[in-house]
Amino acid sequence: MKTVYGPVSSWRLGRSLGVDLICSKEKICSFDCIYCQLGELWKKNAQRNNFVSIKEMESEIVSALQTTTPDVITFSGTGEPTLAKNMDLAIKTIRNISNIPLAVLTNSSLMNREDIRDTLCKLDIVVAKLDAPNEEIFQRINQPVDNITFKETIDGIKKFKKIFTGKLALQIMFMYENMQYVDKMMQLTKNIGPDEVQINTPLRICPVNPLTKKQLGHIEKKFKIQGLNTISVYTSKKPKTTPIDKMELIKRRRMEL
Ligand code: SF4
């Protein structure tokens, strides 16, 4: 399995070259979200580790950038990117070889840690997950490891927003399990004050049914009326991309068609 994949056609980031610092056949994550398209969990933990070689990542990026010019390089893939202990070194290494903006898709679960916030501050774009308005729904939808709580996760995002000079986007996955909490989610979002809100629903193959265009459109409208800069999976345009290696996308089940 290669560390670098894509570029992916992303509705939120444009042409995004993926860097998978986990690179596992089964996901390694601090959550086990009910809508996760990565399949059954292999290891649910919040222990940080080195999963890939940064030297190999570097040579794969150098080679990829010879044939493609992505809009952004994004840490994402087969689990939670902040579980990679060498993420800081990976950022430093990519900065030395490219000026392309650097992003991460994170589940926000480790943002309450100062060392993680320091690392994430070195990025240009942080896309942080928030799917629940309270502990009960957080446990039901995101199914975190035992020591991760809703309160700590929210506190982490708020602390991070105060120090981050880049773009903080909040990604919210709406489904039948949380659609009755739209107003509470909106209030939480306003308290955090992200630069952008990304309204999503599970459109890829998973055990959870997506909301319809009409339902999500209604939610998007409510967020916009509140003055929140909001985009949505149904209405955002996706750029055309040609992946370097289609198999690498299929392996991660992140093929956006
Ligand atoms: S945070 Fe992402 S990778 Fe982890 S379980 Fe949820 S959807 Fe899957």
Side-chain angles (χ1 to χ4, degrees):
M1 204 168 189
K2 287 188 175 163
T3 306
V4 176
Y5 64 98
V8 173
S9 174
S10 166
W11 62 274
R12 44 179 141 218
L13 293 167
R15 288 168 301 134
S16 163
L17 187 69
V19 175
D20 184 354
L21 294 179
I22 305 292
C23 255
S24 166
K25 280 185 185 149
E26 292 91 8
K27 74 183 174 201
I28 298 176
C29 193
S30 45
F31 282 2
D32 188 14
C33 304
I34 54 173
Y35 57 79
C36 185
Q37 81 279 8
L38 290 175
E40 296 217 346
L41 190 73
W42 179 48
K43 277 184 187 167
K44 180 160 78 169
N45 70 44
Q47 293 299 315
R48 303 189 81 204
N49 217 326
N50 290 335
F51 303 97
V52 302
S53 147
I54 298 301
K55 275 237 160 298
E56 278 174 30
M57 177 208 75
E58 183 179 17
S59 81
E60 286 178 30
I61 292 181
V62 169
S63 154
L65 294 181
Q66 282 167 2
T67 56
T68 186
T69 313
D71 300 318
V72 63
I73 296 175
T74 308
F75 293 105
S76 181
T78 51
E80 169 52 31
T82 60
L83 286 177
K85 238 181 182 175
N86 50 11
M87 187 177 183
D88 212 83
L89 179 61
I91 295 170
K92 212 167 158 189
T93 305
I94 300 172
R95 291 283 192 214
N96 281 337
I97 53 176
S98 157
N99 291 324
I100 295 169
L102 274 180
V104 69
L105 304 184
T106 176
N107 66 15
S108 319
S109 63
L110 303 187
M111 284 170 90
N112 206 26
R113 285 177 51 159
E114 195 175 355
D115 57 340
I116 302 284
R117 290 196 298 275
D118 286 348
T119 295
L120 294 179
C121 269
K122 294 170 185 160
L123 298 166
D124 303 293
I125 305 165
V126 170
V127 181
K129 183 188 292 300
L130 179 69
D131 298 334
N134 58 42
E135 186 68 47
E136 187 198 336
I137 306 297
F138 180 64
Q139 294 294 334
R140 198 182 305 159
I141 292 178
N142 300 119
Q143 305 189 100
V145 292
D146 289 346
N147 54 347
I148 290 174
T149 65
F150 172 74
K151 185 181 178 313
E152 278 174 7
T153 305
I154 287 280
D155 285 351
I157 302 173
K158 284 183 181 167
K159 280 181 202 159
F160 181 69
K161 169 63 186 160
K162 281 190 186 143
I163 57 166
F164 186 45
T165 55
K167 172 179 169 178
L168 174 67
L170 209 61
Q171 51 164 331
I172 309 176
M173 189 71 91
F174 277 107
M175 63 208 97
Y176 291 94
E177 286 75 0
N178 64 356
M179 69 178 289
Q180 66 270 46
Y181 299 103
V182 172
D183 290 344
K184 178 74 179 141
M185 295 297 295
M186 235 160 34
Q187 202 46 54
L188 276 175
T189 305
K190 281 173 88 174
N191 290 344
I192 293 166
D195 301 292
E196 184 176 89
V197 187
Q198 301 172 349
I199 304 278
N200 204 354
T201 196
L203 292 178
R204 299 182 199 159
I205 297 166
C206 75
V208 177
N209 289 324
L211 298 187
T212 63
K213 278 187 185 172
K214 196 175 168 192
Q215 287 168 320
L216 213 64
H218 182 64
I219 294 171
E220 184 182 357
K221 204 170 158 192
K222 282 188 116 179
F223 272 73
K224 282 183 171 164
I225 288 170
Q226 291 294 318
L228 293 159
N229 178 29
T230 308
I231 61 169
S232 138
V233 66
Y234 281 128
T235 52
S236 291
K237 286 213 169 80
K238 290 202 294 183
K240 279 210 161 70
T241 53
T242 309
I244 303 161
D245 184 341
K246 273 192 175 181
M247 278 315 292
E248 289 298 326
L249 285 187
I250 292 166
K251 279 179 204 164
R252 290 170 174 89
R253 300 174 210 181
R254 282 181 181 271
M255 180 78 94
E256 298 201 16
L257 299 170

